Amino acid sequence: MTAADNQKLIDTWFPCAAVDEACTNSSGSGLNEKAIFTWFASRPIAQARAAVITALLPDNSELRPVINAAIGGDNTAINKLAGSVAELYPEGRPVVLDIFSGRGIIPLEAARMGATAVGVDLSPVATLAGRVLADYPLRDWDKEPRLPWNEDWEAADDALFAAEERPRLVADAELFITEVGKRMRKAVEPYYPRNADGSYPWGYLWAISIPCDGCGRRFPLIGSLILRNPYSRTNDPGQALRLVIDGDNWDVEVFDGVPDQVPTYSSIDLASGKKRKGKSARCPFPCGHVHSLETVKAKGRAQEYRDELIVGIDTEGKAKRVFRALRKEEREAAEAVDLSQLGNIGPMSAVPDEVISTGNTHTVMASGYGYQTFGELMCARQTLQFVECVRAIRSCYADAVDAGVSTDYAKALAAFASATLARRLRRATRGSGVEPLGKPDGSSQNGVKANDLFSNEAVLNFQFDWVETGPDAGPGTWSSVGNMGLRSYLKHVQKLRGTPGRFRQANSMNLPYRDDSVDAIITDPPYYDMIEYADSSDLMHVWLKRVLFDIEPDLFGPRAVKTKDGLQNKNDEIIVRRVHEPSRIRHDKDFYEASLAKAFSECRRVLRPDGHLVVVFGHSDPEAWKRLLGALHDAGFVVTSSWPSRSESANTGVASIKVTVTIGCRVAGFDREPATAAQVDKEVSDTIKARVRGWSREGLGLSDQMMAAYGPAMEVYGRYSKVMQPDGESAALDRYLTLARRSVREATALRLDEIPIETFDPLTRFAVFWMRMYGRTTVAKGEARFLAQVDNLRLEDVRGGLLKESGSGFRLVLDPPASVRPDSAEIDIARALAGAFDVGGSEAAASVLAIWERPVDDEHLWAVIGDLNAQLPPSDRTAKALIALQRNAIPIQKLAKGLATRLITTGFESQPTIFDALEDD
């Protein structure tokens, strides 16, 4: 079989522009699906849909407009493409496998196209997410009997949706989680005294206290005294907290207005009032002793922390949160909670006693403060709420089955309720504090909510003061989290078509499928060192297994949880671990590449000979790309294409990566011959240059084209069994990543005033192309490293001089350099000229040219000036100076010639230069 025989759309075309556009709207961003179940690095629906379609269908120009419409969410187009898939596979539905299925976005889109969609993930939490998203909602539940609470529900008037709007699964899921909430509230009611009007408080503010090393008195660690920001439009002065000292005791006072004290735990230096690096805890008693962060952590490890209930929070009107002093009965109720009396849930303790892995304080931050088990991540009353939620879900499941509901349907309802429990964890631990919205100046609306446990997609936050949401209503409560999930589930289920996906917890390095049994494998592998998935989701895992150990036993039962610590399998997790823990296998770069290659080898085994592997990958680090492509090559695949999508932009809110690439692969032939590096270099360069024109017509920008170039470069590289250099060594793969980017640059006809780009010095080439691609924006460090490598530069060569570094990346600097010399790069002279003219006009600019000792009309220099000016907005200060330089080029050049003659006569060192002027300025 030739390559042309099994060619699919992914090899020649991908709807990049349609994906980019769809990711900015609700139908393609994946935000709705993300709201159903908490998981990490979620893939936008649009990109997953495009990957599935282009991997299954052959290239057909007539289908391209239909595909673009389908990517945008057009149901008629989606149905037409599903029909095309059915026609192409008349003997049965094609099998599409995702070996890193995560929340199940790719299998969901495969099911939508009529394929047999199969998802595999090492994490049981992710596997459950896939079932909730793409298995249970695609089944027909219309023949199921009514739930036992249905009659009471029909008489109520507080249903979230009108009955005619709700698919059966969503209607019963609403009924199920409402019943769970009722049972949980009844169980915890003695520990949450109601207000005088019969309402429950929205929540409570807690803080950890420590004994002072200076005076021995115990005091609370409070990181913020702002409770609610003011809002001038409603004349709301806001609320703040004040710590009151009375002899050896402390108390808190809530008052209207803004804070008038410094928090006890902060980075504010009392002497200067300015922020300092790192936080510390200051005793509020007269001793004023300051405790370093390490001292505070040590007190946690010594079991010296104590949870202190400090403030109650009510709801006024529809949504206003009002903070107030505690009542006596509220303190007594909180102190009455006794978790030791809760007993077991099945074979496990009711309170999770699984130990947080030693050394992963960078992921589960609370473990760095002395908290050893997952059950300790909440205060006692929060834990009680979750235990009673677990029991309520289990009892509702049992009652549904007793009422004649099938175990599969009861399982689907329990799974959605469990997803609600997992999502509520994000607003219900010591990592979730009060988040006052708005601004201190009162210019913005001033709501209050519980902030997210996940400080980013991979880290479980910890803080000394946190909010406990109550058992009734308001942000972060069971009913609020449940209703938000139901709204998303309704929107999701109403759109669905296709057959249920099949999700299995399994190891991608040992796939449980026959040889040659899969038509396409489409997957989004773990992103190198970005997320430690198991560590980040173990908190969800320990609670989910208490709900589902006998309901979803293949995921959470005793036989499924095979690790000694009762947590998820981490030894087989294909990631680069940021911190090595002695008790674990070393997950370094070599482990990542070898394990990924093993997983891809399994893909090759189960893939049909004419099948395709499609990999979606997004990472800014060149090392990550090299490892990924190396793993594909080692597994026997030839990369045929790579298509960039700006699917992770800030307006999707899905992930932090701005560009992801969809990579098409086929199995390498057995009859490949060796080739010389010179031969392959030429083929790669010629192939990419031939593709650039088409990419430009498709609307791909220069940075997109550089990423797209990896595909054809790897396709050429993969044609040969070995690529030999003159010294007899094999050519490294990353040689062709660099060559691919360089070939794009050469092929874009980037000519500065018709001068070939190769005739400029490396720094100038780097700067000019940077401006073309990124302008003055901040660029991730990995992308900056990639661009530097094109010109054989290191980041060290450009850091500080041409690039300004920040925490988020690098930005090109067009300010004048500190000095210039005869051997300075053209870009440095151009920057110096702009700065000189801005400060001292034509004469100052002429002095820069004279120092340079190159012809004053040097075509390279003036071409750079013209190109920089073309990239900058007219209002930019540097642009204004460049325009003036161009307009005054001839008089500046004449002045420079005269000044150069004088400098030769009098000596260079005696002449003041523009840099002296800049220094004085």
Side-chain angles (χ1 to χ4, degrees):
M1 179 180 293
T2 66
D5 292 331
N6 68 331
Q7 193 172 72
K8 291 290 189 291
L9 262 169
I10 188 72
D11 299 314
T12 56
W13 179 80
F14 192 81
C16 295
V19 170
D20 291 355
E21 175 65 24
C23 286
T24 65
N25 60 52
S26 59
S27 65
S29 68
L31 287 177
N32 186 70
E33 291 70 23
K34 186 177 183 178
I36 295 169
F37 202 114
T38 296
W39 194 244
F40 313 100
S42 49
R43 180 65 42 227
I45 284 284
Q47 188 172 31
R49 185 174 300 162
V52 169
I53 292 169
T54 56
L56 291 178
L57 293 175
D59 195 358
N60 181 339
S61 58
E62 294 181 359
L63 281 180
R64 293 188 182 185
V66 182
I67 293 170
N68 284 330
I71 300 306
D74 186 307
N75 286 326
T76 301
I78 291 172
N79 292 337
K80 182 174 181 179
L81 292 174
S84 298
V85 170
E87 291 175 5
L88 191 64
Y89 299 88
E91 298 179 2
R93 292 193 299 270
V95 177
V96 176
L97 169 65
D98 182 354
I99 64 168
F100 301 107
S101 62
R103 79 179 63 241
I105 293 292
I106 290 172
L108 171 69
E109 291 308 305
R112 207 188 302 268
M113 285 297 110
T116 297
V118 182
V120 166
D121 203 282
L122 187 64
S123 167
V125 178
T127 308
L128 178 67
R131 291 177 182 177
V132 171
L133 188 76
D135 177 1
Y136 299 140
L138 281 162
R139 300 193 197 187
D140 182 5
W141 305 113
D142 286 343
K143 296 181 181 179
E144 292 289 336
R146 292 151 64 97
L147 294 178
W149 325 287
N150 206 78
E151 291 181 4
D152 293 341
W153 182 246
E154 287 182 341
D157 59 0
D158 56 350
L160 187 63
F161 311 112
E164 64 272 10
E165 291 179 346
R166 296 177 291 166
R168 177 65 189 275
L169 177 61
V170 178
D172 284 349
E174 181 181 1
L175 183 57
F176 195 96
I177 67 167
T178 301
E179 183 65 24
V180 168
K182 289 179 180 178
R183 297 184 184 192
M184 179 270 290
R185 279 192 296 276
K186 183 177 180 180
V188 303
E189 185 173 11
Y191 305 99
Y192 289 91
R194 294 178 185 251
N195 294 321
D197 62 359
S199 65
Y200 283 106
W202 168 57
Y204 295 90
L205 187 62
W206 291 77
I208 289 168
S209 68
I210 61 172
C212 175
D213 284 347
C215 66
R217 300 178 181 95
R218 185 170 281 277
F219 69 93
L221 301 174
I222 300 176
S224 174
L225 298 174
I226 301 172
L227 298 176
R228 189 181 69 249
N229 276 312
Y231 187 33
S232 56
R233 181 172 295 182
T234 59
N235 296 316
D236 182 352
Q239 286 185 292
L241 199 64
R242 181 184 294 131
L243 200 60
V244 179
I245 301 300
D246 182 12
D248 292 338
N249 300 313
W250 62 268
D251 202 350
V252 295
E253 178 182 295
V254 176
F255 66 96
D256 290 345
V258 296
D260 56 11
Q261 294 178 338
V262 174
T264 57
Y265 178 70
S266 75
S267 58
I268 302 295
D269 182 79
L270 288 179
S272 65
K274 296 180 179 179
K275 282 191 175 184
R276 61 174 179 266
K277 188 175 183 181
K279 291 187 176 183
S280 59
R282 180 187 58 83
C283 178
F285 289 96
C287 84
H289 186 81
V290 176
H291 306 72
S292 69
L293 178 56
E294 285 308 312
T295 299
V296 174
K297 286 184 175 181
K299 289 182 177 295
R301 292 190 288 268
Q303 304 294 302
E304 294 182 359
Y305 288 171
R306 189 166 73 197
D307 294 341
E308 308 279 1
L309 183 60
I310 59 175
V311 170
I313 316 170
D314 293 328
T315 299
E316 183 179 283
K318 289 185 177 181
K320 185 178 180 180
R321 311 300 164 203
V322 178
F323 297 78
R324 57 165 175 81
L326 293 166
R327 302 188 298 270
K328 180 182 177 182
E329 66 268 21
E330 289 179 308
R331 290 188 184 278
E332 292 173 346
E335 293 170 357
V337 175
D338 184 0
L339 299 180
S340 66
Q341 302 301 310
L342 290 177
N344 288 352
I345 296 176
M348 293 164 285
S349 63
V351 179
D353 56 0
E354 291 86 348
V355 176
I356 301 169
S357 301
T358 303
N360 83 341
T361 58
H362 57 288
T363 301
V364 185
M365 295 179 67
S367 64
Y369 295 81
Y371 295 99
Q372 298 178 355
T373 70
F374 284 95
E376 295 174 354
L377 298 185
M378 305 172 182
C379 68
R381 197 165 60 177
Q382 284 179 306
T383 303
L384 177 65
Q385 267 203 63
F386 271 80
V387 169
E388 295 303 342
C389 264
V390 168
R391 287 178 168 161
I393 295 171
R394 291 182 55 76
S395 65
C396 286
Y397 169 85
D399 289 352
V401 173
D402 289 344
V405 170
S406 70
T407 56
D408 278 351
Y409 191 42
K411 183 188 299 185
L413 296 171
F416 181 79
S418 298
T420 304
L421 182 103
R423 288 190 299 107
R424 195 183 175 208
L425 284 168
R426 299 176 65 169
R427 312 286 175 182
T429 73
R430 300 178 195 275
S432 179
V434 168
E435 183 176 350
L437 306 178
K439 297 179 180 179
D441 64 3
S443 61
S444 301
Q445 288 188 346
N446 61 341
V448 175
K449 66 177 185 177
N451 63 20
D452 198 335
L453 164 67
F454 289 97
S455 58
N456 58 40
E457 282 210 309
V459 175
L460 279 67
N461 190 33
F462 168 77
Q463 57 188 69
F464 292 109
D465 49 344
W466 72 98
V467 65
E468 173 204 10
T469 55
D472 195 20
T477 63
W478 174 262
S479 60
S480 174
V481 173
N483 287 344
M484 288 179 65
L486 281 166
R487 287 188 177 92
S488 296
Y489 215 35
L490 173 65
K491 187 175 181 181
H492 172 68
V493 175
Q494 284 178 325
K495 293 181 177 180
L496 280 184
R497 66 173 306 283
T499 54
R502 305 172 186 177
F503 292 88
R504 183 170 181 175
Q505 189 275 323
N507 190 337
S508 61
M509 293 184 282
N510 186 21
L511 294 173
Y513 304 110
R514 300 190 311 273
D515 295 0
D516 304 334
S517 59
V518 175
D519 293 279
I521 297 175
I522 306 168
T523 195
D524 182 3
Y527 285 2
Y528 199 57
D529 63 349
M530 288 180 63
I531 298 174
E532 295 177 359
Y533 299 88
D535 280 319
S536 296
S537 60
D538 270 342
L539 175 61
M540 291 183 274
H541 178 256
V542 298
W543 284 105
L544 290 173
K545 74 178 187 178
R546 281 163 171 76
V547 182
L548 302 171
F549 67 91
D550 55 351
I551 299 174
E552 302 264 9
D554 61 319
L555 299 184
F556 300 103
R559 293 185 179 180
V561 183
K562 299 177 182 177
T563 57
K564 292 181 180 179
D565 58 9
L567 301 173
Q568 297 174 95
N569 177 1
K570 300 178 180 68
N571 280 338
D572 293 323
E573 194 173 17
I574 304 177
I575 59 172
V576 176
R577 192 170 293 282
R578 295 185 292 275
V579 178
H580 174 60
E581 299 170 26
S583 61
R584 297 184 183 176
I585 293 172
R586 184 175 291 277
H587 287 62
D588 56 12
K589 297 174 181 178
D590 292 336
F591 170 87
Y592 177 81
E593 184 171 358
S595 299
L596 205 53
K598 191 180 296 185
F600 289 148
S601 294
E602 278 289 273
C603 289
R604 183 177 177 182
R605 178 183 65 80
V606 303
L607 195 62
R608 298 186 193 278
D610 60 345
H612 273 64
L613 168 65
V614 177
V615 178
V616 179
F617 194 72
H619 204 293
S620 60
D621 191 337
E623 185 71 17
W625 278 101
K626 185 175 75 173
R627 298 280 175 176
L628 173 76
L629 295 172
L632 286 167
H633 185 266
D634 293 346
F637 282 99
V638 175
V639 174
T640 61
S641 60
S642 56
W643 306 101
S645 300
R646 300 194 173 274
S647 56
E648 313 296 343
S649 58
N651 54 4
T652 71
V654 172
S656 59
I657 306 166
K658 291 183 178 179
V659 177
T660 53
V661 178
T662 306
I663 305 167
C665 310
R666 292 198 299 260
V667 175
F670 292 104
D671 55 350
R672 293 180 296 168
E673 298 179 350
T676 65
Q679 174 188 346
V680 175
D681 287 358
K682 185 176 187 306
E683 285 189 50
V684 167
S685 181
D686 290 347
T687 299
I688 291 172
K689 289 177 180 178
R691 301 274 182 98
V692 165
R693 184 170 297 176
W695 291 338
S696 297
R697 285 197 301 268
E698 291 289 336
L700 294 187
L702 290 180
S703 58
D704 295 336
Q705 292 184 26
M706 282 193 162
M707 299 189 90
Y710 298 151
M714 291 300 99
E715 181 177 18
V716 173
Y717 181 76
R719 289 174 189 161
Y720 303 99
S721 60
K722 186 179 292 186
V723 180
M724 303 298 298
Q725 299 180 132
D727 60 4
E729 296 292 324
S730 296
L733 180 145
D734 54 349
R735 169 194 183 103
Y736 292 99
L737 299 183
T738 301
L739 180 59
R741 296 170 72 88
R742 186 179 298 142
S743 298
V744 170
R745 190 187 63 191
E746 294 170 355
T748 54
L750 180 58
R751 300 292 185 266
L752 306 181
D753 290 353
E754 303 304 319
I755 308 170
I757 188 67
E758 293 78 13
T759 62
F760 291 79
D761 64 84
L763 286 176
T764 301
R765 292 199 300 265
F766 170 83
V768 166
F769 215 65
W770 180 292
M771 276 298 297
R772 287 278 180 131
M773 293 173 66
Y774 309 122
R776 304 294 291 274
T777 61
T778 298
V779 176
K781 295 180 181 180
E783 290 187 49
R785 189 180 298 114
F786 260 138
L787 195 59
Q789 288 175 349
V790 171
D791 287 296
N792 297 317
L793 296 170
R794 302 170 303 162
L795 274 181
E796 290 71 22
D797 298 327
V798 290
R799 179 189 274 119
L802 273 174
L803 298 184
K804 182 177 181 180
E805 186 174 5
S806 66
S808 56
F810 290 97
R811 182 173 60 85
L812 188 68
V813 175
L814 293 183
D815 299 335
S819 63
V820 294
R821 303 184 304 273
D823 60 349
S824 291
E826 290 109 351
I827 183 64
D828 285 343
I829 300 301
R831 293 191 296 150
L833 283 171
F837 194 94
D838 192 36
V839 174
S842 297
E843 291 186 2
S847 71
V848 173
L849 284 178
I851 293 171
W852 197 35
E853 296 186 8
R854 290 260 293 266
V856 294
D857 58 351
D858 182 273
E859 61 179 353
H860 289 78
L861 171 63
W862 291 97
V864 169
I865 291 171
D867 198 74
L868 287 177
N869 185 38
Q871 308 306 319
L872 292 169
S875 59
D876 186 273
R877 181 173 180 176
T878 302
K880 292 177 180 178
L882 292 171
I883 291 171
L885 283 171
Q886 288 178 302
R887 290 173 177 170
N888 294 279
I890 293 176
I892 289 172
Q893 290 169 11
K894 289 181 178 179
L895 284 169
K897 288 180 180 179
L899 182 56
T901 301
R902 291 198 300 274
L903 289 175
I904 293 172
T905 303
T906 61
F908 286 85
E909 294 183 0
S910 64
Q911 297 295 321
T913 69
I914 182 57
F915 303 104
D916 300 313
L918 292 174
E919 185 74 22
D920 294 339
D921 186 59

